[in-house]
Amino acid sequence: MQKVYILLTESLKNREKQGLLRKLYPIKERRGCKIIVNNKEYIDFSSNDYLGLSNHPQIINAAKEAVNRYGTGACASRLLSGSFEIHHKLEEEVARFKQKEKALIFNSGYQANLGILSALLSRDDCVFSDRLNHASIIDGIILSQAKIIRFKHNDTDNLKSLLEKQRKKYKKALIITETIFSMDGDRAPLKELIELKKRYDCIIMVDEAHATGIFGENGSGIVEQEGISDEIDIIMGTFSKALGCFGAYCTSDKKMIEYLINTARSFIYSTSLPPAVIASNLKAIEIIRNEKFRRETLLKNSEFFKDNLKDLGLKVRGSSQIIPLIIGDNNKTIKIAARLQRQGYFVLPIRYPTVPKNESRLRFSMTFNHSKEVIINLLDSLRKFV
Ligand code: PMP
């Protein structure tokens, strides 16, 4: 065997020994909150289809109409002939939705964070990044070569002391946080972060991947709910979670968006999203504005689930539709997840290094399609297993 393959095999064996070997589960079918895997039906608690929009008939129709009109692919990058009018229409709609001057579409949230951060920063700059920020944020910072300074999760005192010590050593400085954290389901102290960004001459960027569609009067996110869109320099988010579609956006002022069009390499050097995906995203925003009952029901049911878990004496976190049940030990978490799977619940154990050591958890991703009855049955199972 070639040396490289010997090393790969060793690495995979080590992962397996530590219970860290990742696997793919081929899903045969998805209906509402149910999925079929290996011919067994599960209730899915691991998808980000928070509002159940991935199967919304109006969105499906919008996609079909766009396929009929434009074909399947965009067939070029945005700066060549892949910039259809519908891409521009979505950008105008997203800018309105997020109450910012301009928007730019990226092909995924991962590519958005990579592109924005690497375009904006260089080795003379630094980024103050919440310790629990998503891997795409970390990878974007690494690519930019800026100094990464991680502050304790949601700890503005810790951030302040780091700013005090470090800010003046660098040219530009960015503070970056998720608004709703993907693994903990809690929210960032945005108003305090804005105070600090002003005081220490930084810019601030937020990732609304898990907040878009769920919070705020129009469902645009936490920034809308807190009425601070003017104070956040860059807001990114995805169409791939509550909107049930695909892709991502960045909103900011006109100058910043023009700069990104010219410099963000993940935007420039990739074929643009197919028009049918863009049409779905547009329709999803319209539905989020019009079908407020989806987010209201989701948040009410999430609260119900969390309160009941607490009543069972369990350790839960979060203030959103993402509910982590902290188990702690890796093996115990794997065992409970396996027992739940045998009962027909698709819940996956989240372990180190995705979350800190000794904080292994079951992450319940609640969706509009989980009825009260489903939640009550799940609570019954958890009562026996945990
Ligand atoms: N940011 C956050 C906070 C995320 O949770 C994710 C996806 N899990 C992304 C960005 C990446 O988005 P996408 O899946 O569209 O690449």
Side-chain angles (χ1 to χ4, degrees):
M1 214 182 341
Q2 268 183 21
K3 194 166 177 202
V4 64
Y5 274 92
I6 295 171
L7 294 172
L8 296 185
T9 309
E10 263 171 31
S11 154
L12 288 171
K13 272 190 189 147
N14 274 339
R15 281 183 164 267
E16 190 159 21
K17 248 190 248 156
Q18 294 169 52
L20 295 174
L21 192 66
R22 297 174 197 264
K23 285 190 190 141
L24 295 172
Y25 302 86
I27 313 275
K28 189 171 180 183
E29 213 178 303
R30 183 156 53 111
R31 257 181 275 115
C33 64
K34 295 195 174 141
I35 49 173
I36 297 179
V37 189
N38 287 334
N39 292 322
K40 182 173 158 72
E41 188 176 279
Y42 294 88
I43 297 172
D44 187 9
F45 278 96
S46 70
S47 100
N48 300 317
D49 190 13
Y50 300 128
L51 298 175
L53 293 189
S54 70
N55 268 303
H56 196 293
Q58 287 180 39
I59 300 181
I60 292 173
N61 271 339
K64 281 182 184 164
E65 278 169 22
V67 168
N68 289 340
R69 180 164 174 196
Y70 301 101
T72 47
C75 303
S77 64
R78 289 289 301 279
L79 289 168
L80 299 176
S81 58
S83 196
F84 289 71
E85 281 176 4
I86 195 169
H87 289 84
H88 294 262
K89 192 169 166 204
L90 177 61
E91 283 169 346
E92 280 161 27
E93 183 52 29
V94 170
R96 250 194 311 276
F97 190 49
K98 302 299 289 187
Q99 299 166 324
K100 296 297 280 181
E101 208 176 2
K102 283 270 178 197
L104 189 65
I105 300 164
F106 283 83
N107 287 4
S108 72
Y110 188 87
Q111 290 188 46
N113 280 332
L114 234 61
I116 299 163
L117 292 163
S118 60
L120 206 57
L121 303 158
S122 63
R123 58 161 59 90
D124 299 329
D125 305 325
C126 72
V127 185
F128 295 88
S129 171
D130 187 287
R131 197 163 272 174
L132 294 192
N133 276 341
H134 189 255
S136 55
I137 294 175
I138 311 294
D139 292 357
I141 300 168
I142 292 171
L143 190 61
S144 77
Q145 299 187 13
K147 169 84 177 165
I148 179 163
I149 300 169
R150 307 213 307 170
F151 59 93
K152 288 185 192 154
H153 177 51
N154 278 348
D155 185 337
T156 45
D157 288 337
N158 180 237
L159 172 60
K160 184 167 174 279
S161 74
L162 291 167
L163 281 162
E164 194 67 50
K165 272 192 231 133
Q166 305 277 2
R167 168 64 188 103
K168 44 187 174 311
K169 296 185 195 160
Y170 300 92
K171 255 189 184 159
K172 293 195 286 304
L174 172 77
I175 296 173
I176 186 161
T177 185
E178 296 177 31
T179 55
I180 293 289
F181 282 86
S182 63
M183 289 298 144
D184 283 54
D186 53 352
R187 54 159 87 194
L190 292 181
K191 293 204 169 123
E192 287 156 85
L193 295 179
I194 289 167
E195 281 307 308
L196 290 172
K197 90 122 193 168
K198 286 182 186 159
R199 189 152 154 196
Y200 291 92
D201 184 28
C202 304
I203 52 174
I204 185 166
M205 169 172 165
V206 299
D207 178 332
E208 292 240 79
H210 296 275
T212 308
I214 315 288
F215 296 93
E217 187 50 32
N218 294 306
S220 132
I222 295 286
V223 173
E224 182 203 357
Q225 191 181 57
E226 297 197 7
I228 48 174
S229 59
D230 285 347
E231 318 231 39
I232 304 283
D233 302 293
I234 301 170
I235 308 170
M236 72 73 67
T238 64
F239 302 114
S240 55
K241 297 177 170 49
L243 281 83
C245 302
F246 192 64
Y249 61 83
C250 169
T251 59
S252 187
D253 56 41
K254 207 169 150 207
K255 187 64 72 216
M256 179 69 75
I257 297 299
E258 192 183 0
Y259 178 77
L260 291 175
I261 291 171
N262 282 277
T263 55
R265 293 167 69 85
S266 67
F267 170 82
I268 298 169
Y269 296 107
S270 195
T271 300
S272 65
L273 287 177
V277 172
I278 300 296
S280 314
N281 293 340
L282 257 171
K283 187 53 88 177
I285 294 177
E286 188 187 316
I287 286 165
I288 280 167
R289 285 187 191 277
N290 294 341
E291 299 189 3
K292 198 174 173 187
F293 63 89
R294 288 179 182 268
R295 53 183 177 276
E296 286 172 350
T297 307
L298 170 69
L299 290 175
K300 218 164 38 191
N301 284 350
S302 302
E303 233 12 72
F304 171 78
F305 182 51
K306 207 165 36 189
D307 287 348
N308 276 276
L309 288 173
K310 281 186 194 152
D311 287 348
L312 293 178
L314 300 175
K315 195 172 162 194
V316 277
R317 291 207 186 132
S319 44
S320 67
Q321 74 287 5
I322 300 166
I323 302 177
L325 173 59
I326 312 293
I327 307 291
D329 178 66
N330 253 5
N331 287 330
K332 191 174 173 198
T333 313
I334 293 167
K335 269 190 200 141
I336 297 171
R339 292 179 81 177
L340 285 171
Q341 283 170 25
R342 281 197 291 278
Q343 292 274 312
Y345 297 106
F346 200 75
V347 182
L348 298 177
I350 314 276
R351 292 156 288 168
Y352 175 80
T354 307
V355 292
K357 272 186 183 147
N358 301 320
E359 288 203 5
S360 285
R361 64 194 64 186
L362 300 171
R363 175 183 179 272
F364 293 95
S365 217
M366 308 303 289
T367 73
F368 172 75
N369 285 325
H370 294 122
S371 65
K372 229 11 184 313
E373 193 191 346
V374 162
I375 297 171
I376 290 169
N377 289 340
L378 170 64
L379 282 163
D380 279 344
S381 294
L382 282 167
R383 203 169 281 126
K384 288 179 217 139
F385 296 159
V386 183

